């Protein structure tokens, strides 16, 4: 769920400006949005881009498993 920048920073031994750079990169990548109210910035995870990547990886999985099975069979036959 939503979390403030301070909440996100809590478990890390990192200066706040460094954390803000990381959050900015995530926001630029479309994986995070943020909203500022007063002095508090709240971040929201944007999961759709990750779900798109997951769907693409799943679509590739069967093809790569078949390729790796053929490679394994080839290597077994050609020591």
């Amino acid at each position: 769920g939503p979390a403030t920048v301070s909440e996100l920073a809590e478990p890390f031994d990192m200066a706040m400006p460094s954390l803000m750079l990381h959050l900015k990169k995530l926001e630029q990548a479309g994986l995070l949005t943020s909203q500022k109210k007063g002095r508090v910035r709240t971040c929201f995870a944007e999961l759709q881009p990750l779900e798109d990547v997951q769907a693409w990886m799943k679509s590739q999985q069967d093809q790569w498993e078949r390729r790796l099975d053929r490679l394994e069979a080839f290597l077994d036959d050609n020591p």
Side-chain angles (χ1 to χ4, degrees):
T4 66
V5 170
S6 296
E7 291 170 333
L8 293 172
E10 191 174 310
F12 301 104
D13 183 23
M14 180 183 292
M16 191 61 74
S18 297
L19 178 75
M20 292 301 294
L21 286 174
H22 287 282
L23 294 177
K24 183 179 178 182
K25 291 292 183 185
L26 290 172
E27 200 160 2
Q28 289 171 343
L31 299 173
L32 180 83
T33 57
S34 66
Q35 178 182 30
K36 188 172 183 181
K37 280 190 179 175
R39 295 182 56 163
V40 177
R41 180 170 296 279
T42 303
C43 298
F44 305 86
E46 297 297 333
L47 301 179
Q48 188 59 51
L50 294 176
E51 290 169 1
D52 294 343
V53 169
Q54 183 180 22
W56 179 82
M57 289 174 65
K58 184 155 181 57
S59 75
Q60 299 295 309
Q61 183 175 355
D62 289 340
Q63 179 180 5
W64 279 100
E65 285 179 357
R66 285 191 307 272
R67 287 177 178 176
L68 291 172
D69 288 345
R70 287 195 317 262
L71 175 60
E72 181 179 32
F74 174 80
L75 294 173
D76 287 344
D77 293 341
N78 299 285

